[in-house]
Amino acid sequence: MTDLETLIRLCPPPNPPMPIDWNGIEAGLGMPLPDDYKALAESYGPGTFCDYLTLYHPHGPTEYVTLTGPMPTRIRAQLRTDYDRGTHPVPYDPDHLFAFGVTGNGEYLFWITDPATDSNRWRIAVNEARGPRWFTYDGTAAGFLVSVLTGETRVPQFPQSLLEVPPTFTPSHPVLLKPQPYDRLASAPVDTAAVRAWARENGYDVPSRGRVPPDILKAWENSHNH
């Protein structure tokens, strides 16, 4: 049984598989993507696992959770600054890190894109939102999800409450657009994972789970209506 098959048994997708133009996506990104991730993205579509783990998706509902949106470039630039200045320990060359997911607490999931030409051998790294810790997983995206959601792997940055309830997947409304050039901004409906990510980047204290405070939602709306 593959990791994806195990994940589907553990947490069934709520919708039928989604067709995705991977040739266009990979051309826009300028790199191949892991076969495991492509099957995972088709099976689940955009959304969030356990109201906490959101994988970037080619048809994510906002620029903040879209695989071809601006976030991977912005995050890599931040890591490059930290790496060059020695501000925070970054265990990998930022040029070999590509963000493909975010948590409700503000951690990012990265592919370690080495070797660059064999994406199926890429490993996964997770940083700490407000600290120096990093965690590395030697496996695929689906394998990582299965291992974390079953408790086999404990990521120190993740809350223990993550496993207090059975695994769930909450879909987001997809945006079925033609692939756009990498890092192009796009407007779209809002989801809570995007609001949390924006809030933390802008200095707001937002809870990692549950209801987003109304003042933060209002600030989000104001910032995106101008």
Side-chain angles (χ1 to χ4, degrees), residues 47-130:
T48 302
F49 289 90
C50 296
D51 195 29
Y52 188 73
L53 288 162
T54 301
L55 300 189
Y56 294 165
H57 192 279
H59 300 301
T62 76
E63 64 192 57
Y64 294 96
V65 290
T66 302
L67 192 70
T68 56
M71 293 308 294
T73 295
R74 291 179 184 175
I75 297 163
R76 179 177 283 168
Q78 294 170 0
L79 292 179
R80 171 54 65 188
T81 298
D82 289 343
Y83 186 84
D84 291 343
R85 295 179 179 176
T87 309
H88 299 292
V90 181
Y92 303 100
D93 185 331
D95 289 342
H96 294 159
L97 292 174
F98 186 93
F100 75 98
V102 64
T103 74
N105 199 38
E107 284 85 25
Y108 292 105
L109 278 62
F110 299 88
W111 282 309
I112 305 169
T113 59
D114 183 23
T117 57
D118 190 355
S119 58
N120 291 322
R121 292 171 57 191
W122 292 353
R123 294 177 295 153
I124 293 171
V126 183
N127 72 343
E128 185 175 13
R130 289 168 290 279

Side-chain angles (χ1 to χ4, degrees), residues 166-187:
T168 59
F169 179 80
T170 303
S172 301
H173 179 66
V175 179
L176 298 176
L177 300 176
K178 293 182 179 179
Q180 300 294 332
Y182 180 40
D183 202 22
R184 179 173 176 175
L185 300 182
S187 61

Side-chain angles (χ1 to χ4, degrees), residues 62 64 71 74 102-106 108 129-130 190-208 211-221 223-224:
T62 76
Y64 294 96
M71 293 308 294
R74 291 179 184 175
V102 64
T103 74
N105 199 38
Y108 292 105
R130 289 168 290 279
V190 175
D191 70 9
T192 56
V195 174
R196 294 181 206 278
W198 174 88
R200 291 191 179 88
E201 286 198 345
N202 287 274
Y204 290 93
D205 184 14
V206 61
S208 61
R211 185 171 177 263
V212 176
D215 59 327
I216 294 179
L217 286 173
K218 183 64 175 178
W220 161 274
E221 291 171 358
S223 71
H224 287 72

